[in-house]
Structure formats: C-alpha cells, structure tokens
C-alpha cells in the first residue's frame, strides 16, 4: 500500500497524513481522479494493521507519540476504518487522530467514532449532500467533540453554484457555535463541467 502522503518528525510527535484509499461514495465535479473513484477496493483490516505496523517498526525507536490525519476518498466508506482506529488507539501511543469526511455516514457511526478520534473535519459537497441531515448530525456531534481536548470543524466548500446555500451554512454554524471556514476550490483538475443535483437543499434556519 503506497498511499501515505508524508511522515514528518517533529519535536514532540510524528505527524502522519494517511490517505486511506481513493474510494468515495460521492463524485464531486472538482475532485481529481487521483483523490477519488467509485471502484477501487477498500483495504481490509489486516492490511491496514500491517501498514501501520510497518510504519511503527520504522519510527518507534524515537519513542514519540503519533498524530495521524486520515483522508480519502471517503474514510467512512471503508467498513474497516472504525475498527482500525479503535485498534490503533487501544494498542499504540497515539496522541491524536484527525479525520476528514464528507459527512455521509450515519449519526450512530460518527458517535462511535468520537470515542477514538480527536478532531473531525466535515466538508460540504452540495452535489450530493442532504443539507438538513448533514447539519443536524453536526449539531449533535459538536456537543461531543468538546474543546480543547477534541474539536469539530466544517469546511464549507465555496462552490460557485451554491453561493446562497453557503450563506445559510455560515449562519447555521454561527448560530450553533460550530467552527467553520469557507474553503476555496481549485477547479483545474475537475472531472466534468456539469454540476449534478443529487443533493437536497432543505436546510432552514
Ligand atoms: S467527497 Fe471528497 S473525496 Fe469524495 S468526491 Fe467529493 S471531494 Fe472527492
């Protein structure tokens, strides 16, 4: 498996960005093919554990703790991801686990995940997201990810076709004291011109 983007030693921790796989249940028009597809196989639990053991073998002599940022594809689309992070936290000296997700997994799934991860970044993707379900979930989870120990953040993707919706997302986050940022999009590697309308514009404040 050669999906690890970087292993960067710092004074206190090893900081690792780990792309767990390209597979994603969404297909955002601006997302390059090297970052997502709908066909690649999910890595099984044993393979993920072996990959970690290999990293650990090469880095444990420094006796540092680890900070691991998981990205995809969509990390939650792999059913082995939750057991994998649980196994990591239970068996290794991991100071923090951070994940980026499109928010499409169920509330119960994320509630379980909050036991093992320290920071969750949710990204809005209006071509596919159901706004109401997405933001209601975040409202609940924001109460579980309490700072300074834990954190939750919403990356509002600055999609040119969704400017009005984005204003609403901002208002929702402000009203509910949810950390957010408006994220600029690079359209240079877009995979199509057409903007799909598979999402639900149903958020009201
Ligand atoms: S949800 Fe993320 S990984 Fe999936 S297609 Fe959209 S931008 Fe790419």
């Amino acid at each position: 498996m050669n999906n690890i983007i970087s292993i960067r030693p710092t004074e206190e921790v090893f900081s690792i960005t780990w792309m767990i796989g390209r597979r994603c249940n969404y297909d955002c028009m601006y997302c390059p093919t090297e970052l997502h597809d709908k066909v690649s196989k999910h890595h099984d639990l044993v393979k993920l554990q072996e990959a970690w053991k290999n990293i650990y073998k090469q880095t444990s002599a420094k006796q540092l703790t680890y900070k691991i940022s998981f990205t995809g594809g969509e990390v939650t689309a792999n059913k082995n991801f939750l057991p994998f992070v649980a196994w990591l936290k239970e068996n290794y000296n991991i100071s923090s686990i951070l994940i980026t997700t499109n928010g499409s997994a169920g509330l119960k799934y994320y509630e379980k995940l909050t036991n093992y991860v320290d920071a969750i970044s949710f990204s809005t993707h209006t071509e596919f997201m159901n706004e109401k379900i997405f933001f209601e979930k975040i409202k609940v989870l924001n109460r579980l990810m309490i700072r300074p120990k834990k954190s939750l953040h919403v990356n509002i993707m600055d999609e040119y076709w969704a400017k009005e919706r984005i204003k609403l997302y901002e208002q929702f986050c402000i009203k509910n004291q949810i950390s957010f940022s408006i994220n600029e999009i690079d359209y240079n590697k877009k995979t199509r011109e057409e903007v799909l309308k598979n999402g639900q514009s149903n958020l009201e404040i």
Side-chain angles (χ1 to χ4, degrees), residues 1-199:
M1 195 178 335
N2 56 358
N3 295 334
I4 295 159
I5 295 170
S6 67
I7 299 179
R8 186 164 46 85
T10 66
E11 270 180 43
E12 308 264 326
V13 295
F14 270 113
S15 183
I16 302 172
T17 302
W18 188 336
M19 189 212 186
I20 204 106
R22 278 207 303 264
R23 183 76 171 267
C24 187
N25 52 336
Y26 288 0
D27 176 28
C28 305
M29 58 86 86
Y30 43 80
C31 187
T33 47
E34 62 264 27
L35 291 184
H36 86 287
D37 69 34
K38 283 194 173 273
V39 293
S40 55
K41 273 185 83 176
H42 292 301
H43 297 301
D44 64 33
L45 184 56
V46 172
K47 204 158 188 181
L48 292 169
Q49 289 170 333
E50 276 171 5
W52 167 254
K53 284 177 189 167
N54 191 27
I55 296 168
Y56 187 72
K57 203 165 119 193
Q58 293 179 48
T59 56
S60 58
K62 299 248 183 216
Q63 298 190 321
L64 297 176
T65 62
Y66 294 85
K67 175 184 169 191
I68 311 176
S69 305
F70 287 106
T71 70
E74 171 53 33
V75 293
T76 67
N78 183 342
K79 69 176 173 47
N80 301 305
F81 182 69
L82 184 55
F84 178 55
V85 289
W87 174 82
L88 272 179
K89 272 280 193 181
E90 280 158 15
N91 292 287
Y92 292 89
N93 189 9
I94 312 285
S95 61
S96 55
I97 294 182
L98 297 74
I99 72 157
T100 305
T101 173
N102 62 22
S104 60
L107 177 59
K108 282 199 170 16
Y109 179 97
Y110 288 114
E111 281 175 337
K112 279 188 201 153
L113 203 58
T114 62
N115 293 313
Y116 307 111
V117 303
D118 305 278
I120 308 181
S121 286
F122 288 90
S123 305
T124 64
H125 300 287
T126 60
E127 285 179 288
F128 298 93
M129 67 189 272
N130 180 313
E131 293 175 342
K132 200 165 188 298
I133 293 176
F134 180 93
F135 281 103
E136 285 305 320
K137 226 171 345 197
I138 282 169
K139 202 162 119 181
V140 175
L141 295 166
N142 194 45
R143 291 190 203 114
L144 300 178
M145 301 294 284
I146 299 166
R147 289 170 194 264
K149 247 185 140 193
K150 302 217 172 201
S151 68
L152 181 150
H153 183 81
V154 181
N155 298 313
I156 301 176
M157 303 307 288
D158 196 13
E159 296 167 337
Y160 65 80
W161 60 88
K163 295 291 185 192
E164 289 307 309
R165 306 312 298 168
I166 287 168
K167 281 185 204 157
L168 216 56
Y169 304 164
E170 277 187 82
Q171 284 170 27
F172 183 92
C173 289
I174 291 166
K175 187 177 167 200
N176 293 288
Q177 297 184 311
I178 295 166
S179 163
F180 73 95
S181 55
I182 310 286
N183 291 18
E184 203 178 315
I185 297 171
D186 178 2
Y187 292 97
N188 283 327
K189 288 190 172 177
K190 65 185 170 201
T191 56
R192 57 184 149 75
E193 295 297 330
E194 184 195 4
V195 174
L196 300 181
K197 295 194 174 5
N198 295 342

